[in-house]
Structure formats: structure tokens, C-alpha cells
Amino acid sequence: MWIVICGAGVLLSALILLISGKTKLPAACRRPGIAELFQKAAYRLLFYFGKRGKPSADAVNRLSLCLLLLNVSNLLAFSAAVYGRLHPAVSNGRIERGDYLSGERELTVSEKDFGTFQVNVQPRHYTEEETRELARKLKRSLPDKMRGENPSLQEVSQNLILPRQVEGYPFEITWDSSDYERMDDSGRIRNPGGGELQLTAHFFYENYQDSAQFSVQLVPEKKSVEEAVRDAIESAIRESEGRNLSDTYLQLPESAGNIPLHWKEQTGEQSPKILGAGLLCCFAVCLLYDSRRRSAEQARQRQLMADYPQIVSKMVLYLGAGMSIRGIFYKLSQDDQRRLQEGGEKRYAYEEIRMLCNEMNSGVPEAKAYLHLGERCRLRQYTKLCALLTQNLRKGNSTILSALQREAEDAYEERKNIARRLGEEAGTKLLLPMIMMLVVTLVIIIVPAYQGFQM
């Protein structure tokens, strides 16, 4: 019915605009472009159906704007009706599901004899075999999508394109680089030059995980025309240096190909020395920053390892009391927030747990959130714990409590070993100051004694 009503409205509007095409407008109403056509229609309608006399410019402008908006909305409604008729959501009693990224949608459907109903259409979920097949296709097609402006992955001189999502595939993709000094996980070349590295793509879809490794060969960027000319000039200079040594003058090349050359002496200045000193200072600052960053990273890892036994023990305690794994993490996050409000020290492990809770609150699947926790901590202990929790979600492991108890015992034993090793390292670090103090003590004793013997 609506397609008939909207179609009639479109035809009526077209007829009115066609009839009004030759209407003469007063100068005060005239506007350039398509607005003038609607003003003519408004002027004609007001002239025939309005009050006697010529319509005012204000009334013409108001009505022309209303006609424009009405026609636009009518065209949109007609297009929607036609699209709905050509692409019906319900066909032979079936509703096509969207892909994984389209999300769920709610439709209103009607039955001839029993009225209307609300239907919640979930996106299509792929079977395990379909997911594997899609992963295989994606692995084959990724190299072409990755190479960007490069000829291939074996000849890379420009930044790569590492997609996080590929159209037509339900996977979320994360990337790892074997050499972040040369290329990061976004495909950006950080240190141009030759060399081979490996890029690893991790695919995630619901409970499915997979990975693929791609070999990348970095090559130096092709020389520009200017660089090629410079190389030709340097070659010509080398040849002229050893030619005609008996001449009074050394003749520099006058041209490089078709390009004339004009020479002058590069006078010595203090600017290069100052610039070099500045670069050295920048290099020293970078080294100092890198050293501090490594020290901060080591301190973070030591703190994570120190807090790990306590976290596992609390999980065992709360799990034995009947709490769920998800609820335990929320409890740990709330306790840490309370401790911070009381002026406690920031603990990285609980910061990561808080981030885990935020991910789960934002809709990230629980298994994927555990995997992200292990990736952020980058320690074997947390990776093992996250693997246990993920396995418990997938297989419903009834022995999770006993597994966590064993993990807590192992964690405490490992903490003792770490404390013992740190003590040995501290003793080794104190060895040099002790030797220096011994040398000073010997000097204080031997020098006066030697002077006494001489007297």
C-alpha cells in the first residue's frame, strides 16, 4: 500500500513542478538553482488556492521549503518501499541472517491471519569446519592485502598494511613482529634496510583461535633520480682525482649527463660540530630513556611475579567459597580500588585485572579477555593461569580448584627461588663496593706504615 501512496505522491509532485515550470516569479522571491523550481510551484499554489492578490515573498519561501522537504521525504519513503519490495527480509518463510559483523537485528513480521510479531535475528555463526575453511582462505589472501605498494612480501621497502579485520571474514586479527626494531605490529618500517623478519597473524573468532606466519624480506628503498645523479658525480670525481697528476689544477666534472655542475668550496664552520654535539646528546638521551624503560619493564615484571602467588591463593580461597571465576576477578578489582583509595601502592597485576574486568563489561568474550590478560602480562605464570581458565570455560573442567591449588603451591615455591636468586644478585652487586672499601682501608694502613719505616 505504501509503495502506491508514495508513488502517487512522486507523480503528483512531478506534475506540479512540470506545470509550474513557466511561472514568472517576482524578483523578491527568486532564488537560483533547484530552489527556484519549488518557489514557482509554491507561488502557483498560493495564487490559485490562497487569498486573492499576489502571494508575499515570505509565504512563497516558507511553502517552497515545505514542498522541498516533503518531496525529499516522499522520495526516500518511495525508495525504501521499492527496496523493501525488491529485497524482502522474509522470503518463503525465511529471514536471511547477517554476517558476524552485522550484529543482531529486530524485525517486525506479520502473518495474514494472526497479526504481527517481533523477531530477533541473530547474526550467522559459522560451524567449526566453516571457520577452519575461512581461516585457510584468509591465510592465502592475506599476503596480497598486506603488501600495500610493495611488489611482494619478498621485496618490501614501503610500509605494509596489516588489517585488523578483513571484509567477508569473521576473524579479529592481531599481529606480532619478530623484530620490532625494524617493523612494528602495524606494518610500519621503523629501521629501513635489508633483512628478513617474521610477521605472525593471530585469528580470533568466538572460541576459535589460529595463527599464520609470513616471511618478510626488507630491501633498501630504491634510489631517487637525485641520488642516482649524486652517485654518478661521485664516480666522476673519483676518476678525475687520479687523472693528469702533473697538471697544476684538479679538474672537477663539468656535467653529469645533461645536467651542468657548478662547484664551490664548502667552507668549514662550527655549525656541524654543534649539530654533531646535539646529535650525540640526543643519542645519549635516547640511550638513557631506553635504559630507564628497560628498568621500568623489569621492575614491572618483578612486581607481577611477586603478586602472582597471592592472586592465585585468593582465587583458590574465593573459588572454594563458591564464587565464579568471573566474580573472583571483579572482587579482586574492587579490593584493589579500595586499597588505592586508602593510599596504597599501585600494583601492576591488579591494574591488568581491572582492565580485564573492563573488557568483560564492554562485551569482550570471557575467554578472549583471559587471553588478552596473558598477552599483556607477558609472563609464563600468567599465560599458564589464563590457559587453565580458558580451558575451564571451553571444556567445563571440574578439577579447576585442584589445578589452581597446585598452581598456588608451585607459585610459592617459585617465589622462594626468585627471592634466593635476588639475594645472590644483591651479594654480587655489593662485591665491587666492598673491594673498593678494602683498597681504601689498605691504603690508609699501608701508607703511614711505609712512611714510618722510612723515618
Side-chain angles (χ1 to χ4, degrees):
M1 180 181 67
W2 286 108
I3 193 171
V4 176
I5 294 175
C6 294
V10 170
L11 291 176
L12 180 61
S13 299
L15 182 61
I16 293 175
L17 293 175
L18 183 63
I19 295 175
S20 306
K22 296 183 179 181
T23 302
K24 293 184 179 181
L25 284 174
C29 301
R30 193 170 298 165
R31 294 289 185 274
I34 193 172
E36 183 179 359
L37 186 61
F38 284 96
Q39 285 178 326
K40 289 181 179 180
Y43 186 85
R44 182 172 285 271
L45 289 173
L46 288 173
F47 186 81
Y48 283 107
F49 299 103
K51 297 179 180 179
R52 291 184 177 180
K54 292 183 178 180
S56 64
D58 184 60
V60 172
N61 290 331
R62 282 202 304 264
L63 183 58
S64 64
L65 180 59
C66 293
L67 289 175
L68 176 63
L69 295 176
L70 182 62
N71 276 272
V72 170
S73 60
N74 189 43
L75 283 173
L76 292 176
F78 181 71
S79 301
V82 172
Y83 182 83
R85 182 63 62 89
L86 296 178
H87 303 86
V90 181
S91 176
N92 298 325
R94 297 185 303 177
I95 301 176
E96 183 179 1
R97 297 184 184 275
D99 59 9
Y100 178 74
L101 298 176
S102 63
E104 64 180 57
R105 53 194 175 121
E106 189 170 336
L107 296 179
T108 301
V109 298
S110 61
E111 205 281 330
K112 181 174 64 173
D113 298 326
F114 298 99
T116 60
F117 302 89
Q118 297 293 328
V119 179
N120 189 16
V121 183
Q122 298 287 339
R124 183 187 176 192
H125 289 250
Y126 296 96
T127 64
E128 185 174 354
E129 184 60 32
E130 289 175 333
T131 304
R132 288 200 187 94
E133 181 62 27
L134 287 174
R136 285 193 289 267
K137 292 181 179 179
L138 181 57
K139 291 176 185 178
R140 291 193 297 267
S141 63
L142 264 182
D144 288 336
K145 302 179 184 299
M146 293 166 56
R147 61 185 178 88
E149 298 180 0
N150 300 286
S152 69
L153 295 184
Q154 300 306 311
E155 190 178 350
V156 176
S157 59
Q158 304 291 329
N159 292 338
L160 296 179
I161 299 174
L162 303 184
R164 307 291 175 175
Q165 194 87 43
V166 177
E167 185 178 357
Y169 296 92
F171 303 101
E172 293 183 9
I173 308 174
T174 60
W175 295 88
D176 287 328
S177 173
S178 63
D179 191 348
Y180 281 86
E181 295 294 330
R182 288 187 291 172
M183 178 177 288
D184 58 20
D185 57 2
S186 66
R188 182 169 61 91
I189 298 177
R190 305 179 66 178
N191 187 11
E196 185 178 4
L197 57 88
Q198 303 293 325
L199 292 177
T200 305
H202 303 279
F203 309 119
F204 302 99
Y205 169 66
E206 296 183 345
N207 294 330
Y208 179 83
Q209 299 180 20
D210 199 355
S211 62
Q213 197 172 61
F214 303 93
S215 178
V216 176
Q217 184 69 39
L218 296 179
V219 297
E221 189 174 359
K222 294 182 179 179
K223 293 183 178 180
S224 62
V225 176
E226 181 180 354
E227 292 174 339
V229 172
R230 283 184 57 87
D231 291 344
I233 294 174
E234 289 182 358
S235 177
I237 290 175
R238 299 288 85 82
E239 292 179 2
S240 63
E241 287 175 347
R243 187 187 307 129
N244 300 328
L245 297 179
S246 60
D247 289 351
T248 306
Y249 299 100
L250 170 66
Q251 180 65 46
L252 294 174
E254 298 178 355
S255 63
N258 296 325
I259 302 175
L261 302 178
H262 307 281
W263 299 99
K264 67 178 181 177
E265 181 186 2
Q266 183 67 36
T267 58
E269 298 179 355
Q270 296 298 322
S271 300
K273 298 179 181 179
I274 298 173
L275 181 59
L279 291 176
L280 287 176
C281 292
C282 293
F283 182 70
V285 169
C286 291
L287 289 179
L288 179 61
Y289 176 80
D290 191 52
S291 176
R292 289 185 177 180
R293 181 184 59 80
R294 286 197 299 267
S295 300
E297 181 65 22
Q298 291 174 359
R300 177 180 180 273
Q301 290 184 354
R302 285 196 296 268
Q303 192 186 93
L304 287 172
M305 294 173 66
D307 289 341
Y308 180 72
Q310 183 184 30
I311 292 173
V312 179
S313 298
K314 288 183 179 180
M315 292 182 67
V316 171
L317 178 64
Y318 292 143
L319 191 62
M323 292 182 66
S324 64
I325 298 294
R326 188 187 187 105
I328 291 172
F329 282 115
Y330 284 121
K331 173 67 175 173
L332 294 177
S333 176
Q334 293 170 0
D335 292 344
D336 184 64
Q337 286 181 343
R338 193 179 304 112
R339 183 184 60 79
L340 290 175
Q341 292 174 356
E342 295 173 356
E345 180 189 4
K346 175 183 175 181
R347 309 299 295 181
Y348 293 105
Y350 291 94
E351 290 288 331
E352 298 297 341
I353 290 175
R354 188 176 300 111
M355 190 176 297
L356 168 71
C357 296
N358 292 336
E359 283 187 345
M360 291 190 292
N361 287 334
S362 63
V364 176
E366 194 171 345
K368 190 176 294 184
Y370 293 153
L371 180 63
H372 292 170
L373 174 63
E375 291 176 349
R376 291 194 302 269
C377 292
R378 299 192 300 273
L379 287 176
R380 175 180 55 83
Q381 295 88 342
Y382 287 89
T383 303
K384 182 180 179 181
L385 175 63
C386 294
L388 287 174
L389 299 179
T390 305
Q391 183 179 9
N392 177 60
L393 285 175
R394 291 177 180 173
K395 300 183 179 179
N397 190 359
S398 59
T399 61
I400 182 65
L401 180 58
S402 59
L404 289 177
Q405 288 174 344
R406 290 193 300 271
E407 183 65 20
E409 295 173 0
D410 295 341
Y412 274 109
E413 288 297 326
E414 189 168 358
R415 184 175 182 179
K416 292 178 183 178
N417 296 332
I418 292 173
R420 190 179 300 110
R421 187 173 66 252
L422 290 176
E424 294 174 354
E425 292 178 359
T428 304
K429 292 178 180 178
L430 290 174
L431 185 60
L432 179 60
M434 290 174 63
I435 293 175
M436 295 175 64
M437 292 176 63
L438 177 61
V439 171
V440 172
T441 304
L442 291 175
V443 170
I444 294 174
I445 296 174
I446 293 175
V447 169
Y450 179 73
Q451 292 176 351
F453 283 128
Q454 286 184 340
M455 293 176 62

